[in-house]
Amino acid sequence: MKLAILSRNAKLYSTRRLVEAARERGHSARVLDPLRCYMRIGSDGFTMRYKGKSAAGYAAVVPRIGASITRYGCAVVRQFELMGSYSPSGATAIARARDKLRCHQVLAAEGIGLPTTVFGDNPDDTNDLLAMLGPPPHVIKLNEGTQGAGVMATEKPSASRAAIETLRGLYANFLVQEFIAEARGADLRCFVVGGRVVAAMRRQAPSGDFRSNLHRGGSAKAVRPTRAEVATAVKAAQILELGVAGVDMIRSARGPLVLEVNASPGLEGIETSTGIDVAGAVVEFVVNETLARAARPHRNPAVI
């Protein structure tokens, strides 16, 4: 099967592993930089070009779309979908997951456990906004931040107000959440592929920090998630219509709480800590789903 890995850098661990896993299973795999893909859109059809040549004929594409190119990257994924290529996570699903506010609203509406979250725009409402949330500590997050960037904790109401005023002065979109103390700086990532958790790791924040992201110096080890955690991770990915997702949760007194659902989860941390061939699981799911979809009529997922 002819596969395309949409990634800006062919040397990245996750990209390399997907290519290796595909080729080990006898498939053709090519890395395409989304920013070098360009398209023609017309009522007579859809065309994709890459570095001066046709980019048609891919049975499936696996998107590795970074946050900084979400808009253009999603347009490229959508174009491939409209041309008949299968994507385990469609353009609409990726965009939905990247918007933390929208993601939280959608998940909460379906009963997924989340840290209590508040959001507002007008400075005159800041005091009441924080009163709706409750006393600090508070966690303040940029709406489209990744890998722990743009996340801060405040321990006093005055610090929360100052951080909010600063972000508003920068015209940033952000959320404010309750701080879950019993998590003790740890979270759980469940890697969901095709409606099942294929691997899970517990990440622990370094001393003096509450962010457990590996890019921030956190450590990771394999863990066996509880039934409730597996069910929550799978349901969250299904609600957002993500065939491949990294669901980040924290263990709280009221059960697992979803922090974020990552539409392009990295493979290095999860494979290194668990020893599981996650890339292989992704490729096998993509191939099997592509074959299954070819055998039955289906609605085009790129249509919004």
Side-chain angles (χ1 to χ4, degrees), residues 43 56 74 84 91 139 146 155 187 195 202 229 258 278 280:
S43 57
C74 285
V139 177
T146 60
E155 297 185 358
D187 74 4
R202 183 179 183 271
E229 289 162 349
V258 173
V278 179

Side-chain angles (χ1 to χ4, degrees), residues 10-286:
K11 296 180 181 180
L12 292 176
Y13 179 93
S14 298
T15 305
R16 288 191 292 105
R17 284 289 297 120
L18 288 167
V19 171
E20 290 170 1
R23 291 176 178 171
E24 286 170 359
R25 289 160 176 79
H27 305 292
S28 166
R30 184 184 180 191
V31 178
L32 303 180
D33 180 350
L35 297 188
R36 293 299 306 273
C37 294
Y38 48 101
M39 61 206 83
R40 178 184 181 276
I41 304 160
S43 57
D44 57 341
F46 302 90
T47 303
M48 182 77 76
R49 304 279 288 176
Y50 184 76
K51 296 183 178 180
K53 297 182 180 180
S54 172
Y58 289 99
V61 295
V62 181
R64 300 289 310 168
I65 304 298
S68 63
I69 63 164
T70 295
R71 185 176 182 182
Y72 193 85
C74 285
V76 171
V77 174
R78 186 177 296 110
Q79 186 82 350
F80 272 114
E81 291 181 286
L82 290 165
M83 292 166 57
S85 299
Y86 168 68
S87 175
S89 298
T92 301
I94 295 170
R96 186 189 298 120
R98 282 284 158 78
D99 184 334
K100 286 187 174 66
L101 174 61
R102 182 180 179 186
C103 184
H104 276 59
Q105 289 173 319
V106 170
L107 294 177
E110 296 292 335
I112 296 292
L114 304 162
T116 302
T117 303
V118 297
F119 174 82
D121 183 71
N122 196 300
D124 294 340
D125 300 324
T126 298
N127 287 336
D128 193 38
L129 185 75
L130 293 176
M132 291 168 62
L133 181 60
H138 298 143
V139 177
I140 303 175
K141 299 179 178 181
L142 291 179
N143 196 37
E144 296 183 353
T146 60
Q147 298 175 349
V151 180
M152 64 194 83
T154 55
E155 297 185 358
K156 297 181 179 179
S158 58
S160 296
R161 288 193 295 269
I164 289 171
E165 290 169 4
T166 299
L167 291 174
R168 283 192 175 129
L170 297 172
Y171 301 99
N173 291 316
F174 58 91
L175 309 173
V176 188
Q177 294 183 322
E178 65 173 319
F179 181 80
I180 308 298
E182 61 265 33
R184 299 182 181 275
D187 74 4
L188 176 74
R189 166 160 288 190
C190 286
F191 204 107
V192 180
V193 179
R196 65 187 185 96
V197 173
V198 299
M201 63 179 175
R202 183 179 183 271
R203 302 182 299 189
Q204 179 66 53
S207 178
D209 201 344
F210 72 100
R211 297 170 297 179
S212 58
N213 305 75
L214 300 184
H215 288 83
R216 299 285 155 186
S219 58
K221 65 178 182 179
V223 68
R224 183 186 294 274
T226 66
R227 289 184 179 181
E229 289 162 349
V230 169
T232 297
V234 169
K235 185 178 179 181
Q238 290 176 337
I239 290 169
L240 296 174
E241 300 181 339
L242 296 170
V244 175
V247 181
D248 296 340
M249 298 178 284
I250 50 177
R251 291 170 166 170
S252 78
R254 59 182 190 266
L257 304 178
V258 173
L259 296 174
E260 183 176 357
V261 181
N262 194 321
S264 293
L267 299 179
E268 185 170 11
I270 196 82
E271 288 196 335
T272 301
S273 61
T274 66
I276 295 173
D277 181 9
V278 179
V282 171
V283 169
E284 289 173 7
F285 167 68
V286 169

